[in-house]
Amino acid sequence: MSSPRPPNQPKRRRLLSLPAVCPCESITPAPLLSSLLSLAADVAGRRASDVDAFPVLRRGVRKVVRVAGILLAFLEELQDAAATTKATALLSSAMLGLTELHVAMQKLRFLLTDSARRGARLWVLVNAGLVASELRLVLGSVAAAMDALPRSVVDSSVEAGELARLVSEQAWRAGVRPDSADERAARSVRSILEQFKDGVAPDAEDVRRVLRRVRIGSWSECSEEMAFLESELCMRLDAGDENSNDAVVMNRLMAFLVYCRVVLFDHIDSNKSQAGAPAPARCPEWIRPDALQCPITLDLMTDPVTVSTGQTYDRASITRWMKAGCRTCPVTGERLRTTDVIPNAALRAIVERMLLSNGVTLPEPSASAGHRKIAVTFGPAAAGAARLSVAYIVAQLSTGSTEERRKATSEARKLSKHSVFYRACLVDANAVPWLLCLLSSTDASVQDNAVASLLNLSKHPAGRTALVDVGGVGLVVDVINVGAKAEAQQNAAAVLFYLSSNAESAEEIGRIPEAIPTLVQLIRVGAYRGRKNAMVSLYGLLECANNHGRAIAAGAVATLAELLSNDRDDLAGYSITLLAKIAEQPAGALALLAQPGLVAGLAEALATSSSRSAKDHCVAALVSLCRHGSAKGVAPLLGRMPGLMTSLYTLVADGSPQTSKKARALLNEIHRHYVMSPPPPSSDAGDRVVRVL
């Protein structure tokens, strides 16, 4: 289930919803007429004859645009007549009719905008009857509003009278219906979905005929349609409508589009599908206010958020900034009190209005820092389409050419990330062994996509079982060592983390001679993300006690000790967590004590770290060292460290309950040593503090 919408995030308009705003009662005639002229000009200016702009309901749209054009001419005549007579008296008598026209024209603009929206064409096709019905109703409202205008207004000039009667007549007579080709295409979609329900692959030409009708001719256009349906589906999930008919139909259409994308298109549009993310929107030439540009990238802020200093940035930019370890505001240089950000709804609304007025649709804002997962039950049709798509992918993985495998691994990567159901389908279709085979591919893209697919599948219990049962752990470890891309190495390290969630698998991974040394090496020399993944995976392996000695033998203690002073707070925090884990075993504690400067480094981290988690693990590590290293004189060593006692007292008073308990235990251990063996009179200040106890 998706997370609820944040209260300060603006609500998005659903497609085919018509939230028209009635002009306020206090509005005067002149601005109302001016606004109505603008609306009519907008509707009349639509390119109704452009097949690419309106692939569905073409004839109906032409009728609407024709009526809007006649209405625009009438309003211009009315404006001219008002300019030569007493305008206020003339227009005041027409306020009711003009108000109704204003509401109707807003609805027409919404309907035409939705009908022409790129990415929404398949949805408009299957709802062509609903759209046509709405157009008929709104045109009826236009005709009724025209009939309600006073005679003095209609007959303000000969031309105005003729145009008014023509608008009313055309609006009443405009029988907007779906085109016959639209109805045939919609029936074909329903027929194809029925075939999916029975597990039957539809005729490829029937599917292509539907796609041609809605002008979908490439892999990227299929993906664009899927992205739209996903955003609409998320809106319904946010509203609690996951069981509504719309949500069910959307899920079926998404599965239909996946099938089209996988089976019908031989290649992925390289210029439109970089990791499934759109390129950042550049500020158009028609808008250059600095307030709408992200201070970091100077791009238009499509998802503006405000940080604790009050400055606003694009979410993606400031998130990258903070993930890089920067904890200051890029504009003011002030330290950020928190990494939380607040959506700037007002600024986003301004950007959205300016973009929409120029024919550009603003992408959906991020609902959270992570990727939204769609949690809708797959019905028989959607499930059948998904299984057919996955079967085709696995066939391409097993017997396809290099180019076919490149596309198949890319599809497997995307689908396994999309939902749990697709992961289950891929595992059931025996995709794991073929993906493992492709880890040794000489094509870097194939290898990279195969590893990423396995990472996604390892999040599924059956995927983890399949990967271990076919002996794939060693192949994953090899990729960490010799992967063609750094991303492949990083993802391979993350696979080990998910596999280590099972105790037996963690033990088996540890028995592979290269596994733990490979992770330690990646922690030592890898890139940022690779280091993080390797450290998390190593922690999972350390849940198995037998792996502690292997980690120590691989040099994990020395490697982690070097990271205590790393500029990135999160890496330093991870290293402290791992050292605390290693110190839980006596051999690990002795290894930490044998590392020069490590105990002092932990004490310094305890005093300087801003992370509660890091402080907690520092104290845990020091407690383990005291417990297992009593013969080494750890307690007196800690008692003589300047500043350590102060840090411990502070944690006792202000730390979390767990940290406070550990700090108190460590203080008691140090105090016990001084009670049993009083320090000499020349002891330092730290010892005097202890004697006060």
Side-chain angles (χ1 to χ4, degrees):
M1 187 69 182
S2 62
S3 58
R5 179 188 302 276
N8 49 2
Q9 180 176 310
K11 187 176 181 180
R12 303 278 291 171
R13 181 178 72 88
R14 289 186 184 184
L15 201 80
L16 304 182
S17 63
L18 311 175
V21 178
C22 185
C24 62
E25 294 181 1
S26 60
I27 192 171
T28 56
L32 177 60
L33 179 59
S34 176
S35 178
L36 189 52
L37 277 163
S38 176
L39 280 169
D42 184 6
V43 175
R46 302 298 174 111
R47 297 177 298 169
S49 60
D50 188 343
V51 174
D52 287 328
F54 292 98
V56 181
L57 290 168
R58 298 170 193 167
R59 295 174 62 186
V61 170
R62 283 199 294 271
K63 292 179 181 179
V64 170
V65 172
R66 187 185 308 122
V67 171
I70 302 171
L71 176 63
L72 176 62
F74 165 74
L75 294 172
E76 289 171 344
E77 284 292 331
L78 185 58
Q79 187 179 46
D80 292 341
T84 59
T85 60
K86 293 183 178 180
T88 303
L90 178 66
L91 295 178
S92 295
S93 62
M95 287 296 289
L96 178 61
L98 294 178
T99 297
E100 292 300 320
L101 279 175
H102 194 280
V103 172
M105 295 308 294
Q106 289 181 66
K107 293 181 177 180
L108 281 180
R109 183 168 66 174
F110 281 134
L111 286 168
L112 294 190
T113 298
D114 290 348
S115 298
R117 178 172 173 176
R118 289 187 60 84
R121 294 174 173 183
L122 185 61
W123 182 241
V124 172
L125 174 68
V126 298
N127 287 280
L130 172 63
V131 179
S133 175
E134 291 288 351
L135 288 172
R136 289 196 303 274
L137 287 173
V138 178
L139 286 175
S141 299
V142 171
M146 292 298 298
D147 293 344
L149 291 175
R151 297 288 302 177
S152 60
V153 174
V154 172
D155 295 332
S156 58
S157 70
V158 176
E159 292 82 358
E162 292 177 352
L163 290 169
R165 284 184 285 275
L166 187 57
V167 170
S168 177
E169 180 182 344
Q170 292 283 337
W172 281 123
R173 292 173 54 187
V176 180
R177 297 283 188 277
D179 299 353
S180 57
D182 294 339
E183 293 177 328
R184 285 195 300 273
R187 284 197 300 270
S188 294
V189 172
R190 290 190 288 270
S191 174
I192 290 168
L193 292 176
E194 286 298 317
Q195 292 178 66
F196 285 150
K197 189 184 298 185
D198 297 332
V200 177
D203 182 82
E205 188 53 38
D206 290 342
V207 180
R208 289 192 177 94
R209 193 177 300 114
V210 171
L211 297 184
R212 282 197 297 269
R213 181 61 189 173
V214 291
R215 318 300 285 184
I216 298 176
S218 66
W219 185 95
S220 61
E221 288 172 344
C222 264
S223 297
E224 190 177 19
E225 294 279 323
M226 287 180 60
F228 160 75
L229 289 172
E230 185 170 342
S231 68
E232 288 285 311
L233 188 52
C234 283
M235 292 175 66
R236 282 153 178 79
L237 295 180
D238 289 342
D241 296 339
E242 62 269 17
N243 295 320
S244 68
N245 184 64
D246 276 358
V248 173
V249 173
M250 285 177 181
N251 209 34
R252 290 174 183 170
L253 294 180
M254 288 174 66
F256 168 79
L257 288 165
V258 166
Y259 178 84
C260 296
R261 199 178 72 176
V262 168
V263 176
L264 298 185
F265 299 107
D266 296 332
H267 69 283
I268 297 173
D269 307 41
S270 58
N271 61 328
K272 296 182 180 180
S273 59
Q274 297 301 322
R282 301 295 302 182
C283 286
E285 293 300 324
W286 43 266
I287 171 175
R288 280 294 176 188
D290 293 342
L292 302 186
Q293 297 177 7
C294 177
I296 298 175
T297 63
L298 299 183
D299 290 333
L300 189 67
M301 289 187 283
T302 57
D303 191 4
V305 294
T306 301
V307 298
S308 59
T309 61
Q311 297 294 322
T312 298
Y313 304 92
D314 192 70
R315 184 188 297 272
S317 302
I318 194 63
T319 300
R320 285 194 300 270
W321 172 270
M322 291 188 290
K323 281 187 175 181
C326 302
R327 291 295 181 268
T328 57
C329 176
V331 171
T332 66
E334 299 176 50
R335 185 167 184 82
L336 298 174
R337 297 188 300 274
T338 175
T339 58
D340 294 337
V341 295
I342 300 173
N344 190 328
L347 186 58
R348 177 181 167 83
I350 293 172
V351 173
E352 183 172 21
R353 282 197 298 270
M354 299 188 77
L355 288 177
L356 287 175
S357 66
N358 286 269
V360 180
T361 302
L362 190 63
E364 286 287 339
S366 173
S368 63
H371 179 72
R372 291 286 298 275
K373 295 294 190 302
I374 299 299
V376 176
T377 302
F378 275 63
R387 293 189 182 98
L388 288 170
S389 301
V390 166
Y392 187 87
I393 289 172
V394 174
Q396 296 291 83
L397 292 176
S398 59
T399 61
S401 63
T402 299
E403 184 61 34
E404 290 170 337
R405 285 177 167 174
R406 187 180 295 125
K407 180 176 182 292
T409 52
S410 177
E411 293 288 5
R413 178 178 188 169
K414 287 177 170 60
L415 294 182
S416 59
K417 185 176 182 179
H418 183 267
S419 75
V420 175
F421 185 79
Y422 276 107
R423 291 175 192 164
C425 287
L426 284 162
V427 173
D428 292 343
N430 211 30
V432 170
W434 293 112
L435 290 169
L436 286 169
C437 289
L438 294 177
L439 293 184
S440 58
S441 173
T442 56
D443 186 288
S445 295
V446 171
Q447 184 192 66
D448 186 29
N449 287 329
V451 175
S453 300
L454 288 170
L455 172 58
N456 294 329
L457 295 181
S458 67
K459 299 173 185 178
H460 193 284
R464 292 193 291 272
T465 301
L467 209 155
V468 173
D469 287 348
V470 298
V473 178
L475 296 174
V476 174
V477 172
D478 289 341
V479 175
I480 302 177
N481 273 320
V482 296
K485 293 183 179 180
E487 185 180 4
Q489 296 175 323
Q490 295 159 6
N491 287 333
V495 171
L496 294 187
F497 165 71
Y498 287 102
L499 296 182
S500 64
S501 61
N502 178 277
E504 293 181 2
S505 298
E507 172 70 25
E508 184 174 339
I509 294 171
R511 284 198 296 266
I512 297 175
E514 301 86 3
I516 291 179
T518 296
L519 290 175
V520 172
Q521 176 68 8
L522 187 58
I523 294 172
R524 183 182 300 117
V525 300
Y528 169 68
R529 184 174 164 232
R531 284 179 163 185
K532 280 184 62 175
N533 289 353
M535 293 170 86
V536 171
S537 297
L538 182 59
Y539 186 87
L541 294 179
L542 290 176
E543 293 292 339
C544 174
N546 292 336
N547 287 332
H548 282 234
R550 295 161 181 153
I552 295 169
V557 174
T559 299
L560 296 171
E562 292 178 4
L563 289 176
L564 286 179
S565 57
N566 193 275
D567 293 337
R568 295 182 181 272
D569 294 341
D570 53 347
L571 291 184
Y574 287 145
S575 67
I576 293 170
T577 302
L578 283 168
L579 288 169
K581 190 68 177 176
I582 293 173
E584 291 176 358
Q585 300 292 326
L590 295 177
L592 265 66
L593 291 171
Q595 181 64 33
L598 179 53
V599 177
L602 289 171
E604 182 181 356
L606 179 62
T608 60
S609 177
S610 59
S611 167
R612 282 198 168 194
S613 175
K615 289 180 180 292
D616 180 52
H617 287 104
C618 274
V619 174
L622 294 175
V623 169
S624 296
L625 293 180
C626 280
R627 182 185 306 118
H628 299 305
S630 56
K632 299 286 186 178
V634 177
L637 174 64
L638 296 178
R640 291 193 296 270
M641 285 186 175
L644 176 61
M645 306 305 295
T646 303
S647 298
L648 292 176
Y649 289 134
T650 301
L651 290 176
V652 169
D654 302 330
S656 65
Q658 186 179 16
T659 304
S660 177
K661 181 178 180 181
K662 292 178 181 178
R664 190 178 292 109
L666 185 55
L667 283 168
N668 290 337
E669 187 69 27
I670 297 173
H671 178 57
R672 188 179 304 111
H673 164 77
Y674 280 94
V675 170
M676 295 176 61
S677 178
S682 59
S683 59
D684 60 18
D687 296 331
R688 289 196 296 275
V689 173
V690 175
R691 286 201 300 276
V692 173
L693 290 173

